[in-house]
Amino acid sequence: EIVLTQSPGTLSLSPGERATLSCRASQRVSSSYLAWFQQKPGQAPRLLIDAASSRATGIPDRFSGSGSGTEFTLTISRLEPEDFAVYYCQRYGTSLTFGGGTKVEIK
Amino acid sequence: QVQLVESGGGLVKPGGSLRLSCAASGFTFTDYYMSWIRQAPGKGLEWVSYISSSSDYTNYADSVKGRFTISRDNAKNSLDLQMNSLRVEDTALYYCARGGYDSVVKYWGQGTLVTVSS
């Protein structure tokens, strides 16, 4: 079973700063099946990135995804106030696996 | 627009059963795998199960295998999750979601809360 490990657990940053979130897989993951989600308190998760680097419809271009194999990254180029939330990576396919999440909080 | 509306959550004693339902609209239901994903209070996301568009393929997380059964009614655009032998650790918000095996989970419902407690 593939395990996804996200780091850091919490990222404390100020608006306007760059956020770099990591997702490491215990085995190689096809880039085609790696996604990133954003979740705010009291809301369902929202799809940000599919296929490791393709932004979902309506997602601002300050969000970008990259990586392959076992190392994937979500980058938020300049944090806006509405970006402070929890972010999850997910691998889908035969089974679905979520990372433990990274909380991006206001410093 | 795509809508997924869950129902059926509630308080149940350990060992009890509960059946969750999800009403889908705004897309061609028969084109998609459907999934259940849960989130324990204050915790992360955990996939529970998915079902193929024609119901011929299902898969479950090890934590629920043998206790939960996923099903769908394509005539009614509905998805169900029968949960038996419930445990305290099954307490969570259960989300219905479109996709899961061959497509990303793009749409989620708002969830229905299941609480297992004596």
Side-chain angles (χ1 to χ4, degrees), chain A residues 22-65:
Chain A
S22 172
C23 176
R24 177 172 294 177
S26 60
Q27 303 173 41
R28 184 188 175 280
V29 171
S30 168
S31 297
S32 299
Y33 296 96
L34 193 288
W36 288 91
F37 294 85
Q38 176 194 67
Q39 188 178 33
K40 297 179 180 179
Q43 296 184 15
R46 177 174 72 144
L47 176 67
L48 298 175
I49 301 285
D50 186 20
S53 60
S54 297
R55 270 190 303 278
T57 305
I59 301 302
D61 61 6
R62 64 180 180 273
F63 290 92
S64 63

Side-chain angles (χ1 to χ4, degrees), chain A residues 1-4 25-29 91 95 97:
Chain A
E1 179 185 331
I2 293 177
V3 176
L4 299 180
S26 60
Q27 303 173 41
R28 184 188 175 280
V29 171
R91 172 254 185 183
S95 65
T97 306

Side-chain angles (χ1 to χ4, degrees), chain B residues 19-57:
Chain B
R19 189 176 185 89
L20 306 183
S21 294
C22 170
S25 61
F27 64 100
T28 303
F29 189 65
T30 52
D31 282 351
Y32 293 92
Y33 273 68
M34 296 294 294
S35 296
W36 288 98
I37 295 165
R38 69 185 181 184
Q39 187 169 35
K43 302 296 185 183
L45 300 166
E46 180 189 17
W47 166 69
V48 173
S49 179
Y50 63 64
I51 186 168
S52 65
S53 53
S54 57
S55 302
D56 57 353
Y57 182 52

Side-chain angles (χ1 to χ4, degrees), chain A residues 2 8 13 24 35 42-43 45 51 61 71 78 80-81 86:
Chain A
I2 293 177
L13 294 168
R24 177 172 294 177
Q43 296 184 15
D61 61 6
E71 300 280 349
R78 293 173 310 280
E80 297 288 341
V86 179

Side-chain angles (χ1 to χ4, degrees), chain A residues 14-25:
Chain A
S14 300
E17 289 194 292
R18 181 183 187 92
T20 303
L21 288 65
S22 172
C23 176
R24 177 172 294 177

